[in-house]
Amino acid sequence: GEFVRNTIISNDNAYIREARRIFTNAENSAKRLKKYNNINAIPLYHPPINHEKLRCESFGNYIFYPSRIDKMKRQRLLVESARYIKSNTQIYLAGKGSEREIDYLRFLIEKYDLKENVNLLGFITEEEKIDYYANCLGVYFGAYDEDYGYVTMEAFFSKKPVVIHEDAGGPLEFVKNNINGFITSTDPRAIAARIDAWSSDRDKAKQMGAKGYESLLAKNINWDHVIDSLLS
């Protein structure tokens, strides 16, 4: 309750300030620290696990979204977008999580007869995830106000473009609209239109994915940079 909340804030204010320098994993996190604690921090982006194994092999016929299944991650928007996709592009959702939300996704699939369009993969291994990234047409990341957003990082390390939303939080620090991905509203029709744009022009998807990868290199998202920054 309020006591626990105030205790956390009080201790954050007291002890975080003892650090010589303060880093956060993204600008979005730094803004929260400033808003709630009036503490300034430096964003220090780090790569996701197994980033060196991520690769691009092809631009296949599906949109990939690996994440914990949760209402805040908004897989339901991508499922609903399948109703409006004009191409034969499929949706692949990977991950476990809220049984209530998984049941709701199944309800949507049944209600709109999307069994041929939407695939609920459930838990997949890290190797399988890397393969799905390597061969997808593009990646969707529907999370709301994410701190950082590993899915965006993983997509760009796989040289794949990303669809996110205007309230995505951390991913907005990386996705540039119409350059390395799409920033769109939460209207399922708008999501479908972005997916169809990639399906009808795979060269565009490929170019966007390459731009995403280049943007990570430009931001020095690697462990050498992180370590040097922490030790300097």
Side-chain angles (χ1 to χ4, degrees):
E2 186 174 351
F3 172 76
V4 173
R5 177 180 181 275
N6 290 337
T7 299
I8 293 171
I9 292 174
S10 177
N11 281 281
D12 284 346
N13 287 334
Y15 299 116
I16 291 178
R17 285 187 170 86
E18 292 183 355
R20 183 164 58 88
R21 287 186 301 161
I22 300 167
F23 295 95
T24 58
N25 61 348
E27 180 66 33
N28 200 36
S29 304
K31 287 178 180 177
R32 287 181 186 156
L33 195 59
K34 180 66 176 179
K35 177 180 179 180
Y36 294 106
N37 303 89
N38 197 30
I39 296 174
N40 294 315
I42 303 167
L44 182 58
Y45 302 120
H46 63 278
I49 188 171
N50 290 324
H51 73 283
E52 70 282 356
K53 296 180 181 179
L54 292 163
R55 64 188 188 278
C56 179
E57 290 184 357
S58 68
F59 286 79
N61 202 38
Y62 62 92
I63 299 299
F64 187 45
Y65 185 11
S67 183
R68 184 181 76 256
I69 305 296
D70 188 89
K71 189 175 181 179
M72 292 287 285
K73 301 295 185 179
R74 298 190 291 200
Q75 284 91 352
R76 57 176 64 187
L77 294 178
L78 185 58
V79 172
E80 289 206 46
S81 78
R83 301 168 56 193
Y84 308 105
I85 294 174
K86 296 177 181 178
S87 61
N88 61 349
T89 308
Q90 292 190 319
I91 303 299
Y92 284 15
L93 296 173
K96 298 179 69 177
S98 165
E99 288 299 326
R100 183 173 182 178
E101 189 66 14
I102 292 170
D103 287 343
Y104 184 71
L105 298 180
R106 288 173 177 154
F107 164 76
L108 290 176
I109 292 168
E110 182 71 28
K111 179 180 179 180
Y112 297 114
D113 192 23
L114 298 172
K115 296 185 187 67
E116 301 299 319
N117 310 88
V118 180
N119 300 273
L120 300 181
L121 302 173
F123 171 80
I124 59 174
T125 66
E126 190 70 15
E127 291 74 19
E128 288 173 322
K129 183 177 74 170
I130 290 169
D131 286 340
Y132 279 117
Y133 271 126
N135 294 287
C136 67
L137 174 61
V139 173
Y140 172 80
F141 190 31
Y144 169 74
D145 197 23
E146 190 79 1
D147 293 339
Y148 185 18
Y150 287 121
V151 172
T152 305
M153 301 292 99
E154 291 170 343
F156 283 171
F157 273 113
S158 304
K159 299 182 180 179
K160 298 301 172 73
V162 185
V163 173
I164 64 169
H165 296 301
E166 296 156 337
D167 56 3
L172 291 167
E173 298 169 41
F174 301 94
V175 179
K176 305 302 179 186
N177 194 40
N178 287 313
I179 296 176
N180 56 22
F182 292 121
I183 303 171
T184 190
S185 73
T186 54
D187 183 346
R189 293 174 179 81
I191 300 169
R194 303 300 182 267
I195 292 171
D196 282 332
W198 288 337
S199 181
S200 63
D201 189 351
R202 275 173 163 71
D203 284 341
K204 182 181 184 68
K206 185 176 182 180
Q207 291 165 8
M208 281 185 166
K211 290 290 186 182
Y213 179 69
E214 291 167 7
S215 72
L216 299 187
L217 299 181
K219 289 179 181 289
N220 284 322
I221 300 182
N222 59 76
W223 284 115
D224 286 342
H225 176 69
V226 171
I227 293 168
D228 287 344
S229 298
L230 292 174
L231 296 179
S232 63

